[in-house]
Amino acid sequence: MSLKTQLKYIPIEDYLEGEELSDIKHEYIDGQVYAMVGASRRHNRIALDFASALTNHLRGSPCKAYISDMKVRIDNVFYYPDMVIACHAGGHDYYETEPVVIVEVLSPSTESKDRLEKRLTYQRLASLQEYVLVAQDKVQVDIYRRTAEGWELEQCDERDVLRLDALDFTLPVLDIYRDAMNII
């Protein structure tokens, strides 16, 4: 026996209004809303340590780092990255449209989506200069960087110093993992 379900289109305005009232976060893709899952201790430590280093570096500059509760809007798609950095004044209180750097900490349940769907969607943003994927099960950071020829991938491990050109920022890769090492 087959089962048919009519998918209801949810307007962007209704989604945004609902997110302000909701206890849980939802991503929005072309009129459909998807609940997000929670993150592990390791995921949180990695994201927090990376965000702390970036926040300290950006203090006094026009660039600001936002973590996990700031959405990024790409046309009719809204994602919640683990970290988003924007360098312009103004904008919407609940989402960013002109990020220069986006960071995702990979989880087993989201890694393939972060590596393909989200990467391709984020790369449509003219403002985006670097998309950073941070593994949580090993010490590895992948940086997709916009160049004059297109996008290039730089992979970093525990011996490397992470470099974000858009923010004039460097950090030993191990510093991202230092507090999570006993959890890995």
Side-chain angles (χ1 to χ4, degrees), residues 103-115:
V103 178
E104 293 281 10
V105 177
L106 301 173
S107 298
S109 63
T110 65
E111 182 171 359
S112 61
K113 183 177 182 177
D114 291 338
R115 286 192 179 281

Side-chain angles (χ1 to χ4, degrees), residues 145-162:
R145 186 173 288 113
R146 187 185 300 270
T147 69
E149 294 79 35
W151 288 88
E152 69 179 22
L153 170 62
E154 178 183 358
Q155 294 185 310
C156 303
D157 64 24
E158 66 272 357
R159 299 165 299 195
D160 296 314
V161 173
L162 173 134

